[in-house]
Structure formats: structure tokens, C-alpha cells
Amino acid sequence: MWRRGERLYAFMVLLVVALEAYALGALVLAFSARLFQRAEFSRVQAALFQALGLTGLILLVLGAYILLYHAYTALKEARDKEAFARWLGIFTEALFADKPPPPPPWPEPALWALLRLREMLKGEMGEKVAVWIRRARPPWAHWLRSRFTSRPERLQALEALGLARLPETLEVILPYLGQQDPVLRLAAARAGARVAQGEGVLRLGQALLASGLSRGALLEALLLLEDRAPPVAALFLEKGDKEAVWAALEALGRLRLHALAEKVLPFLEAEDPEVQAAALRALARLGYPPSGREGVVLSLLRQGEEFLRVQAARLFPLLPPGLARRALWEALKDPSFYVRRAAAEALAALDAQALREAAGRHPDPYGRAMAAQVLREGVWRS
């Protein structure tokens, strides 16, 4: 949970700085007047004692506030943890005993206990917890609409709405994808990906495209969408920039979105090498052969950057066996250790006998050694 009291703490610090500036200013004026013989020594002495007294009082008040603040927050966190555990037990018993929980309103720890259950449970039980959350009328959506909500409260609200997974809250989350604050935008992307359902999924995808988030954040949003990701991934591939396309290609492979495998093939000829590598990885993870583009994959294995050659080698077991064996045999001569390693592993997956032949009679000593190493590792694993 987020700690509160930042505004009061900031006000205290501002007050301390202002009073200390006043005391120093009064001292400067008093000593300047004494320097030019404009003030009596007793007046300067009185100003000095006043400044010292004010400084001591300021330090006493500030120190007492800091100590009390930390003591209070530590006590409150301990009480909240105890209340959280108690309410979690109450809601769990009500859920599995099929009886209603105590009527709302519920304290904040009870809301977080509901969110914990909502995060863990899906299906019918998860929907039952969602009904309880709606009955509690939590303040999170109101916090996001309010102009005077602090940044920590907005982040807390976005996190809570994401855990609650209430589709109707998407409307208050989407505007935060246009915020200048990148932390708020990232939190909104995570919350929106958990919340979006039905038509809201495509609206979220359009907002993500316009958000300017990094490729990693876009990929995280797609992974959080899980089985709802296909329309957003297709939108990214069709209308996104290279960052969005990279994220979509990565998500296609990791989520095993086989229905979109055909859309990956054109990106093997993209201008950006990282997009090409992402397309190769996606096809390899999907187990989808690049039919009609075998020549493109072969050219990437021979001429591309090192990371492209690695990904191309890993894809060759999906190509026609004769072509794949010849290409991987040649790839064992590659000057890159990682390409030779990928080629040997691909050859092992394609034809173990060809790997044994490479370990015994490959003309390149480094390729021969790599084939032998991968062959030994296969024996150890078996």
C-alpha cells in the first residue's frame, strides 16, 4: 500500500525552510545595521537570541513530527496487516461456505483482501468476488476523475482497478494513457490490459498505439491481455510503428497465437533488423514454416547481423530438410560462437545423424568442436 501524508510533510518542510530563511534574514539585517553603526549591540544580541530560539523550536517541531509520523505509519501498517488477514479469512470463508459476507461499508484492508482474492481466482468464484467489490463502491475511480488526487493515490487507484478487473472501469483508465508522466502511462497500460473486455480490447489497443510507450511496455500489455490479445496484436502489426510491431511479434510467439502466424511472414523482409529477428523468433516459437520465403531466411543466415543469423539458424528445422541440412552445415563455419551454437542445436533437432557427421568430419575445426559439444550435451540430457 502507498503511504499517505506526503502533502502534510511537504508543508512542514516548506514552513521550516521559510521560518529559517526569515530568521537568517533578520540576522543579516541586524548585523548589517551594527556594522554600519545603525543599531545598538543589545538590539543585535536580541535578534541573535531570537533567531537561535526560533531555529531550536523549528528543529524540535520537525524532529517530533518525523518521529511521530514514522511511529504512526508503522503502527498503522501493523494494524492494516492484521485487519487484512482477518478480512481475507472472512471473505474466504464466505466464498467457500457459500454465505454472504458482512454488509458494506468495509475498511480499506477489506478492499485489498477482496483484490487479493480477485487476483487469484477466475471463473465463477472470481466473478463472485467482483460482485462484492462493486457492492463496496471503492473510491478508486473517483480518485482518477478528481483533479486534486495526488500522484501516489492515482498510481494506487490504477493498480487497484487493474487487480479488480471490472470492465466498466476502462473509461477512467484510458485517459491516463495520454498522460505526460511515463509512470502513470505504464500503470494505465497494465490496468487497462487487465480490465479490457469485448469492444474495450480494441479501444485499448488504439490508445496504446497513441500512448508513445516503449516496446517493453507494449509487450507487457499484450502479455497481460492473454487470450484477448489477438485483435490488439493484429492492430499493432497493421498500423503500429516499429516499436509496436516488435511488441506484437514477440507476443505472437510467447502467447502462441497461431491464428496470426501468416501475418508474421511479411516482416521477414522488414527494413529494421530487430523486427526481422522478432519475426524469426515468432515463427520458431509457433512452429510455423516460412513457406515461400525460404530464400529470405537463407539470406539472413548468410548476410545479416549476428543476432539475425542466430534467429535464422533456429528457424531452419522448419524448412525443407535438404535445404536446412546444407545451410546449417555451412553455418557451422560462421565466425560467431553464438551462430555456430544455434546451428548445431538446430541440426540436432533436424537430424541427429547429420550432427554426428559434423562432429566427426566437418572441415571447420570450430564447427566440428561445436557439433561435438552439442552432441555430448544431448547424451548427458538423455
Side-chain angles (χ1 to χ4, degrees), residues 23-41 43-52:
L24 290 175
L27 277 180
V28 169
L29 291 176
F31 277 98
S32 298
R34 177 61 182 169
L35 182 63
F36 293 102
Q37 304 296 322
R38 294 294 189 102
E40 299 293 333
F41 177 75
R43 180 182 168 187
V44 176
Q45 190 177 36
L48 177 60
F49 287 141
Q50 288 174 2
L52 290 175

Side-chain angles (χ1 to χ4, degrees), residues 1-6 69 73 75-85 87-88 107-116 140 143 152-153 155-157 159-160 163:
M1 297 183 183
W2 298 92
R3 281 189 174 184
R4 297 178 182 174
E6 295 88 354
Y69 174 77
T73 53
L75 180 62
K76 185 177 184 302
E77 286 179 358
R79 288 179 176 175
D80 286 346
K81 287 180 180 178
E82 181 182 352
F84 173 84
W87 279 102
L88 186 62
E108 185 178 359
L111 298 179
W112 284 97
L114 282 174
L115 290 179
R116 174 65 64 83
W140 307 311
W143 288 357
E153 287 174 335
L155 290 170
Q156 181 183 355
E159 178 188 3
L163 294 175

Side-chain angles (χ1 to χ4, degrees), residues 155-210:
L155 290 170
Q156 181 183 355
L158 288 168
E159 178 188 3
L161 291 178
L163 294 175
R165 302 200 307 274
L166 304 178
E168 63 269 21
T169 60
L170 183 64
E171 297 299 324
V172 296
I173 294 173
L174 287 181
Y176 280 83
L177 284 170
Q179 287 278 334
Q180 292 184 352
D181 188 338
V183 178
L184 284 174
R185 275 187 284 138
L186 178 59
R190 290 170 174 167
R194 291 187 175 104
V195 163
Q197 297 286 344
E199 296 180 358
V201 173
L202 200 54
R203 293 182 55 212
L204 173 66
Q206 293 166 346
L208 287 170
L209 279 183

Side-chain angles (χ1 to χ4, degrees), residues 226-351:
E226 298 178 335
D227 58 342
R228 296 163 289 136
V232 179
L235 178 67
F236 282 11
L237 292 177
E238 181 182 352
K239 298 183 178 180
D241 58 11
K242 66 179 182 180
E243 302 293 314
V245 168
W246 181 93
L249 292 171
E250 284 291 322
L252 283 176
R254 297 189 191 191
L255 295 174
R256 303 295 191 268
L257 303 180
H258 295 278
L260 297 177
E262 185 69 25
K263 293 182 178 292
V264 177
L265 296 178
F267 294 100
L268 292 174
E269 302 178 70
E271 294 181 0
D272 190 316
E274 293 188 4
V275 172
Q276 290 178 300
L280 291 166
R281 278 194 299 273
L283 292 173
R285 287 167 174 163
L286 293 170
Y288 190 85
S291 302
R293 288 181 167 82
E294 293 86 355
V296 176
V297 179
L298 189 60
S299 67
L300 294 176
L301 180 62
R302 291 174 175 172
Q303 300 176 7
E305 287 83 351
E306 180 187 53
F307 64 89
L308 267 179
R309 299 201 302 276
V310 169
Q311 301 302 329
R314 290 172 178 169
L315 186 62
F316 264 89
L318 300 178
L319 271 62
L323 172 65
R325 275 193 291 270
R326 291 192 300 272
L328 292 173
W329 185 277
E330 289 298 318
L332 285 173
K333 301 177 183 178
D334 197 280
S336 168
F337 169 90
Y338 301 101
V339 176
R340 294 196 303 273
R341 174 79 188 190
E345 291 175 346
L347 197 58
L350 179 68
D351 186 348

Side-chain angles (χ1 to χ4, degrees), residues 356 372-382:
R356 284 190 285 271
Q373 175 65 27
V374 172
L375 194 61
R376 285 194 296 271
E377 291 176 3
V379 173
W380 295 336
R381 292 192 187 106
S382 61

